[in-house]
Amino acid sequence: MSRAQLPRAGVVIVVWALLLGLGAWFVANTRFTTDLSFFLPARPTPAQQVLVEQLREGVVSRLLMVAIEGGDEAARGQASRALRERLARGDTFVAVQNGELEAFDKELGVLLQHRYQLSPAVDEQRFEPEPLRQAILDGIDLVSSPAGLLFKPHFTRDPTGEMLEVLTGWQSQGQIAMADGVWVSRDGARALLLLQTRAAGTDTDGQAAAIERVREAFAGVAREHTGLRLEISGPGLFAVQARAAIQGDIAQLTLFSAIGINLLLFAMYRRVRLLLFTTVPVISGSVAGLVAVGLVHDSIFAITAGFGAALIGEAVDYGIYYFVQSGRAAREAWQRRYWPTIRLGVATSVCGFGALLFAGFPGLAQLGLYALTGVITAAAVTRLVLPAMAGDLTVRTPQLPAFVVPLVQRLRVLRWPVLALGVLALAHIVEHRQALWEPNLSALSSVSAEEAQRDTQLRRDLGAPDARYIVVVRAPSREAALQGAEAAGRRLAPLVEQGLIGGFDSPARFLPSEALQRQRQQSLPEPAALRASLARATEDLPLSAARLAPFVQDVADARNAPALTAKDLEGTALALAVDSLLQPHGDAWTALLPLRPAATSEGSDIPAQAVRDALAGSGVLFLDLKTEFEAVYGDYLDEAITLSLAGMAAIALLMAAALRHTRRLVAVLLPIAVTVVIVIAGLHALGVRLHLLHLVGVLLIVAVGSNYALFLERWQRDENGDPQSLLSIMVACATTVIGFGALASSSVPVLSAVGQTVAPGALLALLLSAVLAPRATSAAGGPRA
């Protein structure tokens, strides 16, 4: 670099550093979200909106199920009580239940004051002499038993047991087996607890803290009861485990691939500075991509950042191309000879990724914008900044072994077998096209079959909802939504009695509509009538009516009490339950009623048609969220495939316009097409059903493969083709195979899918570009020696 060029290079580097720093600052101050609306269309249906809200904030997403195994029944019972007591301290959990009624200490004040407005047993017959007498007898039996100690102090105020009626409804998990005063599994081998975290389901840090709190508390309990084991399950645990697995795999695999790639590049460059400079384009592209997405969409999906970084993986190759190809030529010569080919490769990537900008799903549109911006930026940095950074630094790469060039040229003898293989692969795809793609979103899950089975077993033992089946009530006001939930509950109750479903939650169970509260209050008798009824009900009982005077006074007060409101529930677990199940949306309200499968059900399914029949004509919406989510995912995948095909068509048109020669066009496009077909067919033949991450991998194959094909086509035509040009492509391909090959060994499905697709695809793209390249020609027009 001449002295005259030095100031200009300095300006370029300073401007680049300022822009990179500004971009990094912008990214650091941009909101990243793990919101599942990544998978939602731009204009979701009400059902799709409910789906995401439930997974993000719903009460089901906050549930942790805990089992204590080992020891004997007494030890497990004592450990359950001790663990509940420890976990109930602090504010990590909104509710900690194990079957003990003492778990409702915070709620008892609300319950005692508003029991007549809350109790489903209150009606006009409840206080007639005979029903009243039976209720009092049941109450006497209750307070005479160990289980009734909680209610004994309140017996003279609540002899009919309304508090127990309400509590039984709140513990709506149905008939959970009990032993030694706590919940146990149906076979009695495990003591069970159900926890509701204060942290939302999408707050992975909060869920991790809650799980750690459980483990620490159990460790203290286990010291007093040896031989006990702890099992935890629930959405929060799966999220925490998935994050830890991804972080662990990325750290480990990045280390391995970084070692391999750095050793390879150091063998090429033999200079650490050049090795660091090679990463400049991809780092710049990543920051630019995030900035563009943040500016256009205000926030960035975390999935976009992860997938987008993989999509612009080809940018790593740009630095390799520059340093290896320019090692023996001046910068200007490299720009004149090789830059047009790189520019065309960048343009093909822009066409491929740019098609995603038209997606109706914000997640796909963000991916397209990120990749498009990242690739353009990385190419511009390679063109402008790398030469300025490298200056006069000499790059002396090893000579390509002499046998390689002839070997590459002889690969053409394989063209017919390769084409035959491509035809077979295409036939396989056509024959299995209906089963090629995985419609089940669980394919992306890292939850093992054993973990899923344990979760299902615990959920069945506890009768906990699994967020799959939900009845949705929409109404113009909170009161109307609660009334709608009560009406839906009356239709669902027969299904529970018939054993078709295990039960359901409802916001109206914790906060009845004002209309229902007034109806219950109006069914309470006048004091004189109650005294008369009480006198007859207590005849021949070891309890005089006079001792129940507090009961008469409470009923009289309840008749004129103000309605129970959401504000009265603040500070209790009931408030969160109501907030989770009753939500405002604009000028309307939505009440949610999650359904539970019957305890006798072997799986998590419920008879959906029976539920639809029961709710027919009610105007409420019944959702099978698993089916809804898979339908959304199916639409998402279909659109991604369609846009990817449109992008590939645009690439073909671009190539045709740029090359203007049919033979050259075929030489470039055919290797990419055959590679994609063989990779897809090969994965399917190995038992892999493709999903979104495989599609991301295919896009990257097209991006890097187009570069390989363009360079090799040009190299074969050039009678003075530089072996170093071939070396640069081989090194670039090797780094791609090392990086994504390491990713293929990941235990996380979303990571391994990309690696399993790109690593063999990149290698195949290079080989097939050589196999299907046109015959090399000499200046005289004959084959090149």
Side-chain angles (χ1 to χ4, degrees):
M1 184 175 292
S2 66
R3 287 190 174 184
Q5 292 174 317
L6 283 176
R8 182 184 172 193
V11 170
V12 169
I13 293 173
V14 169
V15 171
W16 167 80
L18 287 175
L19 290 175
L20 185 67
L22 186 62
W25 174 85
F26 180 85
V27 171
N29 290 279
T30 299
R31 186 169 65 91
F32 284 76
T33 176
T34 56
D35 195 325
L36 289 173
S37 55
F38 178 89
F39 290 104
L40 272 187
R43 295 181 177 81
T45 65
Q48 292 165 344
Q49 194 64 48
V50 169
L51 165 70
V52 171
E53 288 170 357
Q54 277 304 292
L55 294 175
R56 185 176 54 193
E57 296 288 344
V59 66
V60 177
S61 68
R62 301 167 185 259
L63 291 183
L64 288 177
M65 297 172 289
V66 175
I68 300 174
E69 301 178 338
D72 56 23
E73 180 181 294
R76 291 193 295 269
Q78 291 171 13
S80 174
R81 285 187 284 275
L83 184 59
R84 186 197 68 76
E85 183 182 353
R86 291 178 183 227
L87 294 178
R89 301 171 195 158
D91 60 356
T92 304
F93 299 101
V94 176
V96 181
Q97 299 178 39
N98 67 342
E100 294 181 279
L101 292 177
E102 288 81 353
F104 289 95
D105 281 347
K106 293 180 181 177
E107 291 72 29
L108 284 180
V110 174
L111 173 58
L112 185 62
Q113 183 179 353
H114 298 281
R115 62 188 183 276
Y116 293 110
Q117 293 151 294
L118 288 164
S119 174
V122 171
D123 57 22
E124 293 180 350
Q125 288 74 43
R126 179 70 166 173
F127 301 97
E128 293 294 327
E130 189 53 35
L132 185 59
R133 178 186 178 84
Q134 187 57 51
I136 292 174
L137 285 173
D138 292 343
I140 292 174
D141 289 342
L142 174 66
V143 299
S144 301
S145 68
L149 291 177
L150 180 69
F151 304 102
K152 193 170 185 177
H154 310 293
F155 178 72
T156 57
R157 296 179 63 184
D158 185 28
T160 57
E162 304 306 333
M163 292 175 67
L164 179 62
E165 286 285 348
V166 179
L167 276 175
T168 302
W170 287 354
Q171 290 182 303
S172 55
Q173 292 84 356
Q175 298 299 317
I176 304 176
M178 299 279 291
D180 199 29
V182 299
W183 288 335
V184 297
S185 57
R186 280 189 270 180
D187 61 4
R190 293 171 292 181
L192 304 174
L193 297 93
L194 187 62
L195 318 180
Q196 187 176 348
T197 64
R198 190 170 298 281
T202 52
D203 180 2
T204 310
D205 287 337
Q207 293 292 327
I211 292 167
E212 186 57 30
R213 175 85 195 287
V214 175
R215 288 176 173 151
E216 287 178 358
F218 180 76
V221 171
R223 282 194 287 271
E224 301 169 7
H225 306 278
T226 57
L228 298 180
R229 301 183 301 277
L230 178 72
E231 291 281 355
I232 306 175
S233 189
L237 179 75
F238 295 149
V240 171
Q241 287 180 337
R243 184 179 68 173
I246 290 174
Q247 289 176 338
D249 271 22
I250 286 179
Q252 187 179 38
L253 298 175
T254 299
L255 176 64
F256 291 156
S257 60
I259 291 174
I261 291 171
N262 286 330
L263 285 175
L264 176 64
L265 293 182
F266 189 76
M268 288 291 109
Y269 302 148
R270 301 170 191 176
R271 288 172 183 264
V272 175
R273 283 175 62 191
L274 292 179
L275 201 155
L276 295 177
F277 288 165
T278 303
T279 64
V280 168
V282 72
I283 292 174
S284 306
S286 298
V287 173
L290 292 174
V291 170
V293 173
L295 286 173
V296 174
H297 294 273
D298 292 333
S299 63
I300 304 172
F301 292 115
I303 301 177
T304 300
F307 290 2
L311 274 179
I312 65 167
E314 69 167 306
V316 177
D317 296 350
Y318 297 163
I320 297 172
Y321 293 151
Y322 175 72
F323 287 121
V324 177
Q325 293 169 354
S326 66
R328 289 170 177 76
R331 187 185 72 176
E332 292 74 13
W334 175 83
Q335 291 176 348
R336 188 171 54 254
R337 186 170 188 181
Y338 293 104
W339 177 249
T341 304
I342 293 178
R343 186 176 56 200
L344 183 55
V346 171
T348 62
S349 298
V350 168
C351 285
F353 300 143
L356 299 181
L357 292 175
F358 302 99
F361 291 85
L364 272 183
Q366 284 199 9
L367 263 182
L369 181 59
Y370 181 109
L372 185 149
T373 309
V375 167
I376 292 176
T377 303
V381 168
T382 303
R383 176 73 165 74
L384 302 173
V385 179
L386 281 192
M389 284 183 169
D392 294 328
L393 200 60
T394 303
V395 183
R396 297 191 179 281
T397 54
Q399 292 284 349
L400 192 66
F403 68 89
V404 175
V405 171
L407 178 63
V408 171
Q409 291 171 342
R410 281 198 293 270
L411 285 175
R412 290 192 74 255
V413 299
L414 298 174
R415 61 188 182 282
W416 291 114
V418 164
L419 289 175
L421 181 62
V423 171
L424 287 176
L426 183 61
H428 179 90
I429 292 174
V430 172
E431 183 180 356
H432 298 90
R433 60 188 180 282
Q434 300 298 336
L436 205 59
W437 296 92
E438 173 59 68
N440 195 334
L441 196 58
S442 63
L444 302 179
S445 172
S446 59
V447 178
S448 68
E450 181 182 0
E451 291 169 334
Q453 183 178 7
R454 182 171 64 241
D455 186 81
T456 300
Q457 183 61 52
L458 284 174
R459 203 172 291 281
R460 187 182 304 140
D461 285 340
L462 282 165
D466 66 357
R468 175 173 175 178
Y469 300 102
I470 290 184
V471 174
V472 182
V473 179
R474 289 190 177 275
S477 67
R478 182 206 300 257
E479 173 67 10
L482 287 170
Q483 291 183 25
E486 289 160 352
R490 288 191 290 273
R491 288 174 177 250
L492 294 171
L495 301 182
V496 179
E497 294 170 1
Q498 296 166 30
L500 295 176
I501 63 174
F504 60 90
D505 283 330
S506 172
R509 184 169 288 148
F510 311 103
L511 181 63
S513 66
E514 291 188 20
L516 181 58
Q517 292 186 52
R518 283 196 301 273
Q519 179 184 330
R520 288 170 176 167
Q521 287 175 297
Q522 290 168 1
S523 67
L524 297 174
E526 295 278 359
L530 181 57
R531 288 193 192 93
S533 187
L534 196 56
R536 292 176 57 188
T538 55
E539 287 178 356
D540 303 326
L541 292 182
L543 178 71
S544 68
R547 289 191 58 193
L548 299 179
F551 164 56
V552 177
Q553 184 59 52
D554 277 9
V555 171
D557 293 342
R559 281 173 52 83
N560 302 307
L564 174 69
T565 66
K567 190 174 182 180
D568 296 321
L569 303 179
E570 290 179 359
T572 72
L574 308 178
L576 182 58
V578 171
D579 290 343
S580 300
L581 300 174
L582 182 67
Q583 299 159 352
H585 291 99
D587 56 354
W589 284 77
T590 300
L592 305 171
L593 288 75
L595 309 186
R596 294 187 296 279
T600 55
S601 172
E602 289 299 321
S604 59
D605 295 338
I606 67 171
Q609 190 55 50
V611 177
R612 290 192 181 92
D613 292 342
L615 298 172
S618 64
V620 303
L621 184 63
F622 170 58
L623 297 179
D624 178 349
L625 295 187
K626 179 173 181 290
T627 303
E628 288 289 336
F629 211 157
E630 288 177 357
V632 171
Y633 173 66
D635 293 342
Y636 195 98
L637 192 57
D638 288 345
E639 183 165 82
I641 293 172
T642 302
L643 292 173
S644 298
L645 291 174
M648 292 177 191
I651 289 174
L653 291 174
L654 174 69
M655 292 280 194
L659 300 176
R660 299 180 182 180
H661 194 289
T662 304
R663 190 181 176 202
R664 293 185 62 194
L665 180 64
V666 171
V668 173
L669 292 183
L670 192 57
I672 303 171
V674 175
T675 296
V676 169
V677 167
I678 291 178
V679 169
I680 291 176
L683 287 172
H684 185 263
L686 292 172
V688 178
R689 295 193 71 180
L690 309 183
H691 53 67
L692 185 63
L693 274 299
H694 292 104
L695 184 62
V696 170
V698 168
L699 288 175
L700 187 51
I701 290 176
V702 174
V704 299
S706 62
N707 291 329
Y708 301 161
L710 283 168
F711 270 114
L712 274 169
E713 187 275 334
R714 184 183 185 284
W715 180 78
Q716 289 280 33
R717 285 190 304 106
D718 187 354
E719 64 175 301
N720 298 315
D722 184 0
Q724 295 309 103
S725 174
L726 182 60
L727 176 64
S728 69
I729 303 169
M730 295 174 71
V731 172
C733 180
T735 58
T736 302
V737 172
I738 291 172
F740 286 93
L743 210 57
S745 64
S746 171
S747 60
V748 180
V750 294
L751 298 180
S752 64
V754 177
Q756 291 167 0
T757 307
V758 177
L763 185 59
L764 260 181
L766 177 63
L767 287 175
L768 298 194
S769 294
V771 170
L772 300 175
R775 184 187 299 276
T777 56
S778 67
R784 193 167 68 193

